[in-house]
């Protein structure tokens, strides 16, 4: 039997303690997976469909979809890029100030700028202070974390989305800035 | 080109002063020196020839010709340098011996088969304040040894003869030398003289042949001869010596041990004759020869530093103090370059690649060298130049003391000197002025004309220094 579609739900991100739909009663913890809810479907069986209800999601976050998680993932990419570029900018400014003051050696300046930017970007990418709840739910969902890039691996995510891009961008930025 | 003929120990002291003044720009190029002394291996001669061990491929001598000290006799062809044996060999007859001993005492002429001090003067080591020895040796071989001098004198624009009337070489050969040079160049060539009278005291431990009385006797005879005969051969001359009741700065200093440089203000004052005497000479009335002296202002011990010397292009302060301020600031700049040598060599300073970096890279490529390696060689040249400046400022500090020169110099040099004086100097200051100096890269340095083609790194270092000076002066 084909599960019912809840396309409207996919457009919203339910908050804890709020109804998924304005007319609905707030979902209770003890009626997750109640008779009104469709039976759980494995994601593999849901190929081509966009929305599922998972019964192992945290209370109040029971409505996730592949599209929502993919979009949250895209947003996470954008914010990680922002972190990396912001941290790189800080690193390049540090480099330029150090060069103006002739602090340390050239290698020391590069190292300080690149390490600072990389660490800041790595921490920000791992911590992600503006992370959306939906992304958090997607990451915590055993079914949907696959739609989030390195969703279950915090350190790898910080490394790949923060540290490495910031390292590369800062190094190149410092190199170009040093040519001036 | 002006020719400075430096005679004897006093002449070498004045030549050293001239070299120092040339190095900091207080005298203008081109000046060439011809140095005459019997002992070309003394410490003083070594100091002059190597400018205090600072002359190298990276940094040439500031005074052309000072690298060679020529003996006033044909030393290479002489079998014997003992004064007695030059004139009295085994074939000398008794009359010759009698005449020789009539003219020369035991201390200068020695005794038959004498040894040590009784062997007489060894002219290979100097004339030992015996003008009679110096004049006899010079007269006996004046043709060959001095021939190169006459050629230079004929082509020189002006000739300055400097030395002292105190010792053996200067007092002994000065008068004859001036006469010979005048004969060689003719009456029209401008020719000046700057001569030191008593300006140092001998320590009591010096050997028996020379004491202050000997020096004063030489000086007296030299002065008498000068006023009678030599003075008229010169367009103008300057005589300098310790006055009665001298103040601390101008009193006679003890002569340095082992024929080293004696540190005194007098050689510097004598060097000022190069600027003063031509200014005071009336070329329309050469017969009206004048002899000048200088008076010391005891209320202003720094008056020499305030005097107008050469005015380099761009500078509004022609004082010697201004040139010293520049020398001090340049040393600080070069020290910062060394401190941050990798930044200098890799152009890792603000606007470094756009300015000197591009220039050095171009020159390095033309010479098939890596820019960083070439820049390090340029830095080596700048360090060698800094060593020369240190040799200059060390001498001034010894003579004048550690005086505050804050009132001298063009505004930027003065400002940087104040930073140095307040111990607030930091490396970025040096690199900032280096970048600022790049705008003068094409114009600076063109004024100097040298009879040599320097290596590319040496030339670039000279250019950097000239540009830095232009930036300090503008």
């Amino acid at each position: 039997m084909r599960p019912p579609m809840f396309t409207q739900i996919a457009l919203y991100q339910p908050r804890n303690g709020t109804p998924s739909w304005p007319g609905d009663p707030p979902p209770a913890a003890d009626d997750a997976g109640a008779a009104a809810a469709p039976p759980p479907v494995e994601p593999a069986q849901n190929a081509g469909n966009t929305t599922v209800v998972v019964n192992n999601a945290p209370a109040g976050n029971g409505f996730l979809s592949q599209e929502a998680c993919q979009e949250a993932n895209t947003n996470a990419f954008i914010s990680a890029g922002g972190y990396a570029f912001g941290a790189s900018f800080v690193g390049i400014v540090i480099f330029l100030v150090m060069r103006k003051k002739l602090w340390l050696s050239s290698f020391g300046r590069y190292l300080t700028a690149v390490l600072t930017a990389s660490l800041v970007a790595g921490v920000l990418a791992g911590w992600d202070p503006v992370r959306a709840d939906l992304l958090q739910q997607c990451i915590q969902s055993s079914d949907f974390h696959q739609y989030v890039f390195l969703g279950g691996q915090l350190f790898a995510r910080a490394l790949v989305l923060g540290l490495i891009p910031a390292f590369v961008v800062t190094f190149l930025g410092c190199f170009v800035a040093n040519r001036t | 080109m002006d020719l400075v003929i430096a005679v004897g120990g006093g002449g070498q002291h004045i030549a050293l002063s001239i070299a120092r003044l040339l190095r900091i720009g207080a005298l203008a190029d081109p000046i060439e020196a011809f140095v005459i002394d019997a002992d070309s291996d003394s410490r003083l001669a070594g100091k002059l020839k190597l400018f205090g061990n600072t002359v190298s491929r990276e940094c040439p001598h500031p005074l052309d010709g000072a690298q060679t000290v020529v003996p006033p006799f044909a030393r290479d062809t002489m079998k014997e340098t003992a004064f007695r044996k030059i004139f009295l060999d085994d074939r000398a007859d008794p009359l010759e011996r009698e005449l020789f001993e009539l003219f020369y005492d035991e201390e200068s002429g020695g005794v038959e088969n004498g040894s040590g001090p009784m062997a007489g003067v060894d002219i290979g080591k100097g004339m030992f304040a015996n003008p009679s020895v110096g004049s006899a040796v010079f007269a006996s071989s004046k043709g060959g040894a001095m021939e190169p001098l006459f050629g230079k004198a004929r082509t020189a624009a002006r000739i300055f003869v400097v030395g002292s009337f105190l010792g053996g070489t200067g007092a002994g050969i000065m008068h004859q030398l001036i006469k010979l040079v005048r004969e060689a160049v003719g009456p029209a060539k401008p020719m000046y003289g700057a001569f030191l009278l008593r300006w140092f005291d001998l320590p009591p431990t010096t050997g028996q042949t020379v004491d202050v009385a000997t020096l004063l006797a030489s000086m007296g005879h030299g002065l008498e001869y000068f006023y009678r005969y030599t003075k008229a051969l010169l367009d103008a001359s300057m005589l300098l010596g310790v006055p009665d009741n001298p103040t601390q700065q101008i009193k006679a200093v003890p002569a340095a041990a082992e024929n080293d440089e004696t540190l005194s203000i007098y050689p510097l004052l004598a060097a000022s004759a190069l600027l003063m005497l031509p200014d005071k000479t009336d070329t329309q009335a050469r017969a009206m020869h004048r002899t000048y002296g200088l008076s010391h202002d005891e209320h202003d011990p720094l008056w020499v530093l305030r005097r107008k010397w050469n005015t380099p292009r761009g500078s509004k302060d022609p004082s010697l103090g201004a040139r010293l301020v520049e020398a001090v600031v340049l040393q600080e700049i070069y020290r910062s370059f060394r401190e941050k040598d990798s930044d200098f060599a890799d152009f890792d300073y603000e606007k470094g690649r756009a300015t000197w970096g591009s220039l050095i890279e171009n020159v390095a490529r033309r010479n098939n060298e890596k820019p960083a390696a070439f820049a390090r060689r340029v830095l080596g040249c700048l360090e060698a130049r800094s060593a020369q400046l240190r040799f200059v400022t060390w001498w001034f500090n010894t003579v004048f003391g550690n005086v505050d020169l804050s009132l001298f110099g063009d505004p930027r040099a003065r400002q940087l000197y104040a930073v140095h004086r307040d111990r607030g100097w930091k490396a970025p200051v040096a690199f900032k002025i280096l970048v600022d100096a790049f705008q003068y890269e094409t114009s600076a340095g063109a004024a100097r004309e040298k009879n040599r083609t320097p290596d590319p790194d040496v030339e670039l270092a000279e250019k950097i220094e000239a540009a830095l000076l232009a930036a300090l002066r503008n």
Side-chain angles (χ1 to χ4, degrees):
Chain A
M1 171 183 170
R2 192 177 179 201
M5 301 287 286
F6 294 99
T7 51
Q8 306 95 323
I9 293 172
L11 299 174
Y12 294 98
Q13 186 174 351
R15 297 279 170 178
N16 285 339
T18 58
S20 303
W21 187 252
D24 290 348
D30 54 353
D31 62 7
V41 176
E42 290 300 317
Q45 296 173 294
N46 194 34
N49 296 323
T50 55
T51 305
V52 293
V53 176
V54 287
N55 58 5
N56 60 348
N61 299 327
F63 307 101
L64 293 174
S65 68
Q66 180 182 342
E67 288 84 355
C69 287
Q70 284 173 336
E71 190 180 336
N73 185 47
T74 304
N75 290 337
F77 273 137
I78 292 169
S79 58
Y83 297 146
F85 275 99
S88 298
F89 179 76
V90 170
I92 292 167
V93 169
I94 288 173
F95 177 83
L96 288 175
V97 170
M98 289 180 79
R99 189 185 68 156
K100 190 176 181 69
K101 306 274 183 190
L102 292 177
W103 286 337
L104 303 180
S105 63
S106 179
F107 176 76
R109 278 173 233 147
Y110 271 104
L111 196 68
T112 306
V114 167
L115 279 186
T116 305
S118 302
L119 288 176
V120 168
V123 167
L124 287 175
W127 174 31
D128 195 1
V130 296
R131 174 185 294 176
D133 290 343
L134 177 60
L135 180 68
Q136 181 69 26
Q137 289 163 17
C138 293
I139 289 171
Q140 288 176 349
S141 162
S142 59
D143 299 319
F144 287 98
H145 77 262
Q146 65 178 317
Y147 299 115
V148 179
F149 182 67
L150 294 174
Q153 302 168 60
L154 181 67
F155 285 104
R157 189 176 167 80
L159 193 75
V160 174
L161 293 184
L163 197 142
I164 292 175
F167 183 96
V168 172
V169 171
T170 308
F171 180 79
L172 290 176
C174 290
F175 185 78
V176 171
N178 200 34
R179 308 293 295 183
T180 58
Chain B
M1 177 175 285
D2 292 336
L3 176 67
V4 172
I5 304 171
V7 186
Q12 288 178 75
H13 277 89
I14 299 170
L16 256 175
S17 281
I18 293 170
R20 287 184 171 112
L21 293 165
L22 279 170
R23 180 63 189 89
I24 59 173
L27 287 176
D29 272 333
I31 296 176
E32 187 177 3
F34 191 92
V35 185
I36 303 168
D37 196 19
D39 185 4
S40 57
D41 300 323
S42 67
R43 287 192 179 190
L44 174 62
K47 203 172 232 180
L48 174 61
K49 286 192 279 188
L50 296 175
F51 200 56
N53 281 331
T54 65
V55 173
S56 60
R57 181 197 70 84
E58 288 82 6
C59 192
H61 202 297
L63 178 56
D64 285 342
Q67 300 92 323
T68 311
V69 175
V70 181
F73 46 85
R75 192 175 177 180
D76 296 341
T77 56
M78 285 178 116
K79 293 176 189 167
E80 190 60 65
T81 56
F83 177 59
R84 183 182 183 86
K85 292 184 179 174
I86 292 171
F87 291 93
L88 299 177
D89 58 14
D90 297 338
R91 294 167 294 173
D93 57 39
L95 180 62
E96 282 178 302
R97 286 175 198 280
E98 224 170 287
L99 278 173
F100 183 83
E101 283 166 7
L102 181 68
F103 284 114
Y104 299 101
D105 59 14
E106 290 86 351
E107 288 172 348
S108 55
V111 297
E112 192 67 35
N113 299 321
S115 62
M118 297 313 286
V121 170
D122 181 354
I123 61 167
K125 294 176 181 169
M127 304 303 175
F128 295 91
N130 286 290
S132 56
V133 174
S135 56
V137 170
F138 184 68
S140 70
S141 65
K142 63 187 178 189
M146 293 296 105
E147 205 49 52
L149 168 64
F150 301 135
K152 288 177 189 290
R154 285 187 197 100
T155 56
R158 298 179 300 182
I159 299 168
F160 297 88
V161 185
V162 297
S164 81
F165 288 162
L166 284 184
T169 311
I173 75 171
M174 188 78 76
H175 310 284
Q176 290 190 55
L177 180 76
I178 290 170
K179 188 180 167 197
L180 291 172
V181 173
R182 176 55 84 191
E183 284 171 7
V185 300
K189 181 84 72 180
M191 196 166 155
Y192 310 96
F195 308 109
L196 293 171
L197 307 177
R198 179 187 166 226
W199 65 284
F200 62 84
D201 279 337
L202 291 170
T205 53
T206 306
Q208 299 170 347
T209 56
V210 187
D211 55 20
V212 173
T214 316
L215 297 181
L216 292 177
S218 298
M219 187 184 91
H221 295 309
L223 270 178
E224 190 179 346
Y225 197 92
F226 173 77
Y227 274 103
R228 278 192 188 178
Y229 305 106
T230 313
K231 175 178 173 259
L233 300 172
L234 297 167
D235 290 284
S237 51
M238 179 192 273
L239 293 172
L240 293 165
V242 178
D244 294 335
N245 305 316
T247 54
Q248 174 67 24
Q249 197 179 21
I250 55 168
K251 70 177 186 181
V253 294
E258 299 185 30
N259 208 2
D260 204 344
E261 183 186 15
T262 299
L263 304 172
S264 163
I265 194 174
Y266 284 97
L268 172 66
L269 298 177
S272 71
L274 270 65
L275 292 171
M276 193 188 99
L277 293 180
D279 280 351
K280 291 193 177 291
T281 303
D282 183 356
T283 51
Q284 302 300 313
R286 287 184 185 280
M288 300 298 289
H289 170 92
R290 291 182 181 90
T291 300
Y292 297 90
L294 290 173
S295 61
H296 177 67
D297 184 354
E298 60 189 29
H299 302 296
D300 182 15
L302 300 183
W303 66 272
V304 184
L305 302 184
R306 291 185 219 288
R307 268 180 66 103
K308 183 184 177 203
W309 291 71
N310 172 52
T311 311
R313 193 168 56 183
S315 176
K316 291 184 176 62
D317 187 347
S319 69
L320 181 55
R323 305 290 82 77
L324 278 175
V325 163
E326 290 166 359
V328 170
V329 170
L330 277 181
Q331 285 175 75
E332 278 286 13
I333 290 172
Y334 295 155
R335 193 179 58 76
S336 296
F337 291 167
R338 165 49 62 196
E339 193 184 314
K340 293 286 173 187
D341 58 339
S342 63
D343 290 321
F344 181 88
D346 299 328
F347 321 114
D348 283 333
Y349 47 93
E350 201 171 20
K351 297 178 186 168
R353 286 175 195 282
T355 55
W356 293 103
S358 62
L359 177 69
I360 290 177
E361 275 177 8
N362 288 340
V363 179
R365 280 201 195 98
R366 277 204 300 273
N367 292 281
N368 300 317
E369 256 192 281
K370 287 185 177 173
F374 183 75
R376 282 190 188 280
R377 290 209 290 123
V378 173
L379 180 58
C381 297
L382 290 175
E383 285 188 301
R385 301 187 73 78
S386 183
Q388 283 198 342
L389 292 172
R390 202 158 44 247
F391 181 63
V392 175
T393 52
W394 158 79
W395 184 82
F396 275 98
N397 278 343
T398 311
V399 172
F400 290 96
N402 186 22
V403 294
D404 185 1
L405 302 169
S406 299
L407 296 176
F408 294 106
D410 295 295
R412 185 145 195 204
R414 194 184 298 194
Q415 174 210 342
L416 293 179
Y417 178 80
V419 174
H420 152 83
R421 191 83 185 166
D422 297 341
R423 298 180 188 280
W425 189 278
K426 290 192 171 62
V429 176
F431 285 89
K432 171 84 170 56
I433 193 160
L434 177 66
V435 170
D436 293 346
F438 186 72
Q439 62 182 301
Y440 305 105
E441 176 264 326
T442 49
S443 57
R448 292 193 69 171
E449 182 192 326
K450 286 280 180 185
N451 298 327
R452 60 188 169 82
T453 308
D455 292 337
D457 54 338
V458 178
E459 189 176 14
L460 198 51
E462 284 178 2
K463 191 179 269 289
I464 288 174
E465 183 168 301
L468 283 170
L469 285 171
L472 288 175
R473 288 166 185 161
N474 287 278

